[in-house]
Amino acid sequence: MPETTLADLAHEVHAKNAGPFWVTMELFMRDAEGYRIAADESFLNERVIAELYRVEESTVQLFRIPSLNVVKISFPARSTRDRSGTATCTPASTTSPLARMPIRRPADRVVVDTTPR
């Protein structure tokens, strides 16, 4: 059985440039349970984002919006240069590492009946 990912629990995982120097990603979760998982600080936090996107942890900003079931993430865009040498910042493929994050669920508990028969 394939692992459940953040993308499986979301309506949309969206990335966009937030000005020339920042990338913003938004996780629009399908329901409160999906939001609870995505908003869990032990699962998704500044350190995790910094590792996924190779940015400084101190520059990552997370905003949890429970009334909308949304988690918004911002961090500095990494600049690349186009053929003319002009610096460009694009969110292309930015959401992939985040969307593919496997969901950690508590292990299913097996209840063993120890009643003597």
Side-chain angles (χ1 to χ4, degrees):
M1 180 181 206
E3 288 184 307
T4 301
T5 65
L6 274 177
D8 295 325
L9 302 180
H11 281 297
E12 183 176 0
V13 180
H14 177 77
K16 61 185 175 184
N17 285 337
F21 305 110
W22 285 85
V23 171
T24 293
M25 295 184 295
E26 296 156 328
L27 294 165
F28 294 90
M29 305 312 292
R30 293 184 188 279
D31 55 29
E33 178 61 17
Y35 173 78
R36 185 190 63 73
I37 292 168
D40 182 347
E41 291 184 33
S42 69
F43 172 66
L44 187 60
N45 55 51
E46 290 82 353
R47 181 186 51 76
V48 170
I49 298 301
E51 289 175 6
L52 282 174
Y53 294 99
R54 298 184 185 120
V55 296
E56 290 294 321
E57 182 177 342
S58 63
T59 65
V60 176
Q61 299 175 2
L62 272 85
F63 306 92
R64 293 168 176 89
I65 310 166
S67 62
L68 299 174
N69 291 336
V70 170
V71 176
K72 183 175 179 175
I73 302 160
S74 294
F75 55 85
R78 291 194 317 225
S79 179
T80 58
R81 301 237 174 230
D82 65 17
R83 290 183 183 170
S84 70
T86 303
T88 59
C89 301
T90 63
S93 300
T94 300
T95 59
S96 294
L98 182 63
R100 289 185 297 211
M101 277 185 64
I103 301 304
R104 292 178 300 163
R105 296 186 187 267
D108 291 337
R109 294 184 187 155
V110 177
V111 177
V112 178
D113 183 3
T114 59
T115 308
R117 299 200 184 254

